[in-house]
Amino acid sequence: METKYINNQNWQNFLLNQIEKYDIFSLFVADENNYNYSKLSSKNLNETVIGKYRAQVPIKTFFFPPVEKIIPAAEKKPKIIIGIKACELVHLRLFDSIFLGGEYRDTVYEEARKNTIIISADCTSAKECCFCSVIDGQPYATSGFDINLRPVGNGFVVEILSEKGKELVKKNEHLFQDIVQNYIIESERNRRSVNEQVIRINIKKNINFTKRLNKAVNSVNPEFWNEVSKECVECGGCRFVCSSCYCFLLGELPDFEKYRLWDACQFKGYARVAGGANPKPTKEKRYKNLYSCKFDYRYTNFGFYACSGCGRCIEVCPAEIDIREVITQISADEVRR
Amino acid sequence: MKNIYQPIKSEIIKVSDESPNIKTFTLKPSERISFATGQFIELAVDGIGEAPFTPSSSPFETETIDVTIMQVGYVTEKIHQLKKGDIVGIRGPYGKGYPIDQMFNKEVLILGGGVGMAPLRSFLLTLINQIDKFRKIILCYGAKSPEDIIYKLEFEKWKKIKKLEILQSVDKCPTGVWKGTIGVVTCLLDKVKVDLKNVVSVVCGPPVMMKFGTKRLLEYGFVPEQIYLSMEKNMSCGLGKCGHCQLGPYFVCKDGPVFTYDKIKDFEEIWD
Ligand SMILES: Cc1cc2nc3c(=O)[nH]c(=O)nc-3n(C[C@H](O)[C@H](O)[C@H](O)COP(=O)(O)OP(=O)(O)OC[C@H]3O[C@@H](n4cnc5c(N)ncnc54)[C@H](O)[C@@H]3O)c2cc1C
Ligand code: SF4
Ligand code: SF4
Ligand code: FES
């Protein structure tokens, strides 16, 4: 991996050079504690937030919109997305495994993915709901990006990983400088400090679970799921906001056109088959399914959890169900047995 | 790059009534589609919806594909209104079919119920096509009443085939016109004799029938590895992407729909 340095002014020039060719999205302030992706223009260039933490809206919306016509599929304009965080890249890894893996490649997703350049950035802070460092991750990316930015001083340490990334940097070579060792040291220090911040947040909340969740999830007492999902109102918010959730329905339009739209295992009709039989008939069964899916089945399929600790489901849940507390309880239950 | 969701237009060239709520549609795809018996297709009614169906014809028939469809809900109701000459869309074939070569030199006990006979017709026709490769084939088929029995004319033909033993039952028959067995299909298993060391069973039907069928086969002495089940789960994409058909870590559309019982027996809700 090649490493360079770019100062803020040059970074803006770099972006200006891309605006013609790409639709560029970057993080901007949404409200007091939140950031979201918006389209970048020469006017709002100064307002982007590269560090901080992840956006409120999940990254999947760029590659797998809530509703999308897939036959005929729309042509995808090349995009650059800036400021993607490590937890989002974990999500993309899962999406790639599902949509590009197996016997069939989902060509609609593939097209969107191919036409997008991913410029990730280290977190410089964490939210109260973040728990990446507790669940096999950390608040900075080590793979899955084209270019990664580590904010330092008046610019960024730039890590260039993929061919796409190399090409883009090469075309603007004059804007980048050789890396200075001090900047690396500074960014490593930042990484350690944010990682510790995440761990501290979670220790304070008594979040502590085993790393072998796959077995534990399926061995707890059915009563447990009744108890945790008691207040769930089945709004599906937690699933829609989760970038690791990929379930969808296909819909038919005249002339054999098709669209697809998000679906979620929390909905009663999700597993219902013709004639009315339903293998996931109750709220508790559906609620358990989501944990089995994330921590057992996808782990069995791909070797990693379908949860990155982004904490979005915690923020959005009107019933105030905290996934961290649930898996902590599952682990405690496993230890007792 | 071919869009994986793009259906192939297919003309309905024949519609046959099988029972009051089951019809067989013979489709002629505009591009040739070849399938292995037990695989399924997604059939789209223009502007209405798609649903999965297993071809009921022999895979050796390559010009046309039969699908036998029971009217149960929204999409199937629209399908039943279609006529000769109408165009439908089909995608597939998807999933893994029956591993026929693993059944060579064995006895094959087929257990079917209701419209579950559709995939089994395709399976049976595949076996009949190479009947010398099997010791013996026993077909146990149950329907609700005599008029719900599908493929009536074909059953007459099949009954004449050597090495093929056919038993039928109906759940109920108030008028007494039925001369065969009355009772659910599992009761036919009391009448068959198989060599447990060298037999497999292939089961397809509604969930309750599969449940009790499997239970009965286990009591009979079959081991889970000898029982092949065609699982029906909610499906949307049919090709392992949309998540709907999950059964434990499996996607029924991609890892099934045919599973041996040992692979799935420990997952909750397999019969629902
Ligand atoms: C592998 C496989 C092979 C099959 N082969 C055959 C075959 O050969 N012959 C045959 O007759 N059948 C077969 N089936 C069953 C067939 O697919 C169903 O009968 C068919 O899908 C019914 O569609 P429908 O729209 O008419 O039924 P409906 O009951 O209207 O709906 C079926 C599906 O639509 C969705 N749905 C409907 N209403 C709602 C709602 N209110 N909320 C949410 N979701 C809803 C559900 O997802 C449900 O699964 C097969 C099924 C599978 C999985
Ligand atoms: S389950 Fe919750 S914490 Fe885990 S990835 Fe999804 S939204 Fe983030
Ligand atoms: S967000 Fe909360 S209430 Fe809504 S479905 Fe998820 S757990 Fe249930
Ligand atoms: S039907 Fe979509 S994953 Fe199986």
Side-chain angles (χ1 to χ4, degrees):
Chain A
M1 185 165 55
E2 212 183 331
T3 310
K4 298 257 183 202
Y5 173 77
I6 195 164
N7 66 35
N8 286 334
Q9 188 54 50
N10 281 343
W11 176 250
Q12 296 203 349
N13 290 334
F14 170 77
L15 294 178
L16 282 172
N17 290 347
Q18 317 309 324
I19 279 177
E20 288 275 292
K21 194 167 164 222
Y22 297 92
D23 276 346
I24 308 181
F25 294 87
S26 184
L27 291 175
F28 290 89
V29 174
D31 59 44
E32 206 184 335
N33 293 313
N34 293 301
Y35 303 92
N36 262 329
Y37 295 102
S38 295
K39 195 153 169 205
L40 194 93
S41 69
S42 52
K43 295 200 184 66
N44 63 13
L45 204 56
N46 276 323
E47 297 153 34
T48 70
V49 187
I50 306 284
K52 284 290 184 176
Y53 36 74
R54 57 144 182 91
Q56 213 173 4
V57 170
I59 195 72
K60 68 180 173 188
T61 49
F62 282 105
F63 305 99
F64 172 67
V67 185
E68 182 182 25
K69 191 127 164 227
I70 56 168
I71 295 190
E75 206 147 293
K76 305 261 153 68
K77 195 177 167 194
K79 282 192 190 69
I80 298 180
I81 309 176
I82 303 165
I84 297 181
K85 298 296 178 277
C87 55
E88 303 270 50
L89 294 178
V90 173
H91 296 154
L92 280 185
R93 176 167 72 157
L94 181 94
F95 264 73
D96 288 353
S97 303
I98 291 277
F99 283 119
L100 305 179
E103 198 181 335
Y104 304 96
R105 298 170 79 82
D106 186 305
T107 42
V108 182
Y109 173 82
E110 187 172 23
E111 203 54 28
R113 201 70 172 87
K114 249 191 7 215
N115 285 322
T116 306
I117 295 179
I118 289 187
I119 304 188
S120 54
D122 289 10
C123 292
T124 54
S125 172
K127 286 188 135 180
E128 279 295 300
C129 58
C130 293
F131 65 106
C132 59
S133 311
V134 194
I135 188 154
D136 287 355
Q138 70 285 309
Y140 51 87
T142 54
S143 63
F145 52 81
D146 294 304
I147 294 174
N148 182 57
L149 304 176
R150 307 180 180 195
V152 283
N154 284 323
F156 306 100
V157 170
V158 185
E159 296 172 304
I160 309 141
L161 187 66
S162 71
E163 282 310 312
K164 270 193 225 166
K166 277 183 202 147
E167 212 176 300
L168 198 60
V169 170
K170 204 160 157 226
K171 280 190 196 138
N172 299 271
E173 230 164 357
H174 60 290
L175 298 173
F176 294 84
Q177 288 162 251
D178 286 339
I179 187 70
V180 181
Q181 197 54 28
N182 279 354
Y183 287 145
I184 301 252
I185 295 170
E186 184 186 333
S187 67
E188 297 285 343
R189 203 183 307 128
N190 172 56
R191 286 185 162 189
R192 272 196 304 279
S193 125
V194 184
N195 197 37
E196 280 157 18
Q197 186 185 351
V198 177
I199 290 172
R200 257 198 321 276
I201 291 169
N202 288 285
I203 287 181
K204 206 170 68 196
K205 293 181 187 297
N206 286 323
I207 302 304
N208 179 19
F209 47 82
T210 128
K211 295 276 176 188
R212 280 172 42 252
L213 277 164
N214 53 320
K215 289 225 179 65
V217 170
N218 278 321
S219 57
V220 288
N221 187 334
E223 266 308 300
F224 173 82
W225 297 109
N226 273 330
E227 197 48 40
V228 242
S229 65
K230 210 168 53 193
E231 308 283 332
C232 168
V233 294
E234 301 178 71
C235 62
C238 57
R239 299 307 97 222
F240 283 174
V241 90
C242 174
S243 265
S244 302
C245 281
Y246 54 86
C247 287
F248 65 84
L249 273 171
L250 291 176
E252 211 73 19
L253 297 166
D255 294 325
F256 294 103
E257 295 190 352
K258 269 187 217 308
Y259 63 97
R260 72 164 150 216
L261 73 163
W262 292 356
D263 197 6
C265 62
Q266 298 310 287
F267 297 142
K268 194 162 189 157
Y270 174 83
R272 179 193 163 273
V273 293
N278 192 342
K280 298 182 174 69
T282 58
K283 184 166 76 171
E284 310 82 77
K285 287 211 162 154
R286 292 194 285 276
Y287 202 77
K288 178 189 177 203
N289 179 72
L290 108 79
Y291 284 76
S292 301
C293 177
K294 292 201 167 300
F295 301 110
D296 183 16
Y297 304 152
R298 291 303 84 85
Y299 191 88
T300 305
N301 295 149
F302 306 121
F304 49 85
Y305 297 137
C307 172
S308 66
C310 74
R312 287 193 178 93
C313 55
I314 303 168
E315 280 182 319
V316 85
C317 181
E320 297 183 5
I321 301 174
D322 187 328
I323 189 169
R324 296 174 291 187
E325 289 167 15
V326 178
I327 47 192
T328 297
Q329 283 175 49
I330 292 172
S331 296
D333 186 68
E334 162 112 320
V335 171
R336 268 198 304 278
R337 253 171 313 126
Chain B
M1 225 175 347
K2 191 179 180 306
N3 187 321
I4 53 171
Y5 302 105
Q6 182 76 53
I8 292 171
K9 290 198 179 144
S10 309
E11 188 186 342
I12 298 178
I13 58 167
K14 192 172 155 203
V15 182
S16 327
D17 290 324
E18 301 284 359
S19 82
N21 62 353
I22 299 177
K23 290 183 184 184
T24 296
F25 298 82
T26 303
L27 311 175
K28 191 166 170 48
S30 54
E31 287 168 37
R32 201 175 281 241
I33 294 178
S34 56
F35 66 93
T37 184
Q39 284 190 300
F40 68 94
I41 57 164
E42 284 283 343
L43 190 153
V45 184
D46 193 22
I48 299 295
E50 267 187 332
F53 302 98
T54 322
S56 56
S57 49
S58 160
F60 298 108
E61 172 58 68
T62 55
E63 291 290 318
T64 59
I65 290 177
D66 283 359
V67 279
T68 301
I69 297 176
M70 180 157 88
Q71 185 185 325
V72 287
Y74 184 66
V75 175
T76 49
E77 186 188 325
K78 300 289 178 194
I79 295 175
H80 269 236
Q81 290 164 5
L82 297 175
K83 300 270 171 302
K84 187 178 160 184
D86 287 343
I87 303 293
V88 293
I90 59 183
R91 298 189 281 127
Y94 298 129
K96 297 184 172 52
Y98 297 104
I100 300 290
D101 42 358
Q102 288 173 32
M103 302 176 184
F104 287 166
N105 300 315
K106 293 193 173 154
E107 296 179 2
V108 182
L109 171 61
I110 305 172
L111 193 59
V115 78
M117 193 57 219
L120 295 177
R121 177 172 82 153
S122 171
F123 175 68
L124 183 66
L125 292 172
T126 308
L127 301 194
I128 291 174
N129 195 279
Q130 46 195 328
I131 200 153
D132 293 342
K133 296 193 176 126
F134 304 91
R135 283 264 177 90
K136 177 162 95 175
I137 303 163
I138 306 169
L139 169 61
C140 299
Y141 174 59
K144 278 207 185 85
S145 75
E147 66 167 2
D148 290 308
I149 291 179
I150 61 176
Y151 309 134
K152 290 189 187 75
L153 294 177
E154 276 168 283
F155 267 103
E156 292 314 312
K157 279 190 256 163
W158 293 336
K159 280 177 186 160
K160 298 190 184 112
I161 297 175
K162 256 201 331 197
K163 278 194 160 171
L164 174 59
E165 186 183 337
I166 293 185
L167 293 88
Q168 285 180 325
S169 74
V170 295
D171 296 355
K172 280 199 275 298
C173 183
T175 53
V177 288
W178 178 252
K179 295 192 185 68
T181 307
I182 295 186
V184 291
V185 63
T186 43
C187 70
L188 295 176
L189 291 175
D190 298 334
K191 302 175 188 253
V192 300
K193 263 191 103 59
V194 297
D195 172 12
L196 278 173
K197 282 199 216 55
N198 204 10
V199 65
V200 294
S201 184
V202 169
V203 188
C204 187
V208 275
M209 177 255 159
M210 302 250 279
K211 179 178 175 176
F212 289 102
T214 302
K215 196 164 160 259
R216 185 70 193 82
L217 289 168
L218 293 169
E219 285 161 9
Y220 197 112
F222 280 73
V223 295
E225 290 78 0
Q226 285 173 309
I227 305 172
Y228 291 89
L229 303 167
S230 289
M231 301 308 291
E232 186 185 326
K233 287 279 168 248
N234 179 315
M235 288 185 187
S236 188
C237 70
L239 31 74
K241 310 293 178 201
C242 78
H244 280 91
C245 65
Q246 299 197 39
L247 179 60
Y250 299 122
F251 291 99
V252 171
C253 65
K254 147 168 124 36
D255 303 309
V258 178
F259 291 93
T260 48
Y261 181 56
D262 58 301
K263 292 253 162 43
I264 53 174
K265 65 180 173 26
D266 296 328
F267 300 118
E268 267 181 75
E269 307 144 9
I270 62 168
W271 307 124
D272 297 311

